[in-house]
Amino acid sequence: MTQKSLTQMTRTQKKSTQKKYHYLLAIGFFLAFVVFVALRQTSPFQIGRLDGYVASIFGGFLRTILVSFIALIGSTFTGFLLFLMSKSNNGLFRAFVDVFTEIIYGTPLLVAIIMMAWVVGPAFNTYNRPVLGVIGLIVYITPYMTNIFRSAFKSIPEEQYLAMDVFGFTNVQKYIYIIIPQVLRILMPPLMNNFSLIIKGSALLHVIAYGELFHTVGVMQSRTFGYAEGYITMWALYIIITIPLSQFTRYFERRWSLE
Amino acid sequence: MNITVENVSHTYDVQVLNNLEITLKNYRSIALIGVSGSGKSTLLRMLAGLERPTSGKLTVNNRNVLDKEHRSSIGMVFQTHSLFPHLSLEENITLVLEKTRGIDKETARKTAHKNLERLSLGDQAYKLPKNVSGGQAQRASIARALSVDPDIIFLDEPTASLDPILTDEVLSSVENLRELGKDFVFVTHVLSFVRDFADYVIYMDQGDIVEHGTPDILDEPKTDSFKNFMSKVR
């Protein structure tokens, strides 16, 4: 090995250790900030106030994940359905998708959930608030899902389709061996981003008194007055899912990207 | 190969090809040249059977280009490599052979390696397209077109997305394929390649075949349009 490549290697090594320290420092800063605000509360910060509520908060945490997962699956289906409709030759279908998308883009998630649970549901003699809330969440996320399907399919260039035609692949073969394997990889990162959006958005389900994380923390707070304790715990629990999710998404993109 | 083009027109929003008429007999390597938008790529795609003429008829080796048998007797290379990006170079070939030609796995693998080696890609066979250079990917796409053992290979500006050095690399590997006894129809902007490789040249402008003949016509353009083209493209 030459002298030059040796110095180059130590330089890149040095850079990566430096980078590691920078990140540790940044994380440390934010942790210190949390400790700082916790200690500055008017009533002393006592994490012990959570005693007796750990099980119910953990239950809420699991329900947040469950409900987000259901919304993810549901909106993936409805999003794909709308994508197919937007590709249809029927102009009415396309118009329906466009109008629906504009309406949802203009609607706050909180309003979508409340409308579904208190206005739309009752109009159909349905009063099951948790189910209606999840439907509201699904309806809200659907156009975003439609979008990621649209860009995933668009990212396969026209010449690839021509190549498939020249070789004489049947339509079924095109989808099974060429289109779907590509689309899945392109779809995964934005799909996981949307999952993160759903998890965060599901906090709003507390307005219909569904026992997800936000709601169970609220119950604990109203009985023990441990507001800071409850909110910080809740915040940490959200971050425990969303940050690894986004890190994994980035890893997936690096590892599996096709470009 | 023999080609007939009878009264062929093509219209998208505007007329792209105007009543083309030409008969070619026993040429091995036909070049289509002209500026962008002259209709040369459209004519090439029609000869490959990928696009239907609005009116008229095209035949290649006495077969209508819209016949299924024509489709299975050609290979095609596009402006971009158009390899399937989730498959290695080898799998790009074996997938085609196994699924569309019903060839068994082992034979397909052997054919893939033979053709990749022919284009000096033997050591790249297991790489994904994203991990090879643009020139290597385009050569792999040529190997894929060859592997179905076509009678004719269509090349649609195969070096349009490459820099001059990679262009040279790809075109000289095409020239090396002469010994295989395949016929070629190609669109290109590289006139030195036309001189070296083509035995017939068709110059097109605004949807018309303006001049055609042996590569000698490049040295003595007759029409103003072709003179103008030759003075600008070198």
Side-chain angles (χ1 to χ4, degrees), chain A residues 33-67:
Chain A
F33 181 75
V34 173
V35 172
F36 172 74
V37 293
L39 294 176
R40 298 252 313 150
Q41 301 300 306
T42 40
S43 77
F45 189 87
Q46 292 172 317
I47 201 70
R49 291 190 205 188
L50 290 170
D51 276 357
Y53 294 93
V54 171
S56 82
I57 289 176
F58 189 66
F61 176 69
L62 292 183
R63 249 164 276 152
T64 283
I65 295 175
L66 174 75
V67 95

Side-chain angles (χ1 to χ4, degrees), chain B residues 151-210:
Chain B
D151 301 331
I152 307 170
I153 294 174
F154 290 87
L155 306 161
D156 184 6
E157 287 190 56
T159 60
S161 60
L162 302 176
D163 66 36
I165 292 167
L166 295 178
T167 296
D168 214 48
E169 170 195 312
V170 168
L171 292 181
S172 54
S173 62
V174 173
E175 285 185 40
N176 291 336
L177 299 177
R178 223 192 297 242
E179 63 196 45
L180 290 176
K182 307 277 179 208
D183 292 336
F184 292 87
V185 181
F186 60 95
V187 169
T188 185
H189 290 296
V190 185
L191 288 186
S192 59
F193 179 67
V194 176
R195 286 177 207 277
D196 287 351
F197 194 61
D199 58 5
Y200 204 84
V201 180
I202 295 172
Y203 168 71
M204 294 182 69
D205 189 21
Q206 293 180 14
D208 290 310
I209 294 177
V210 179

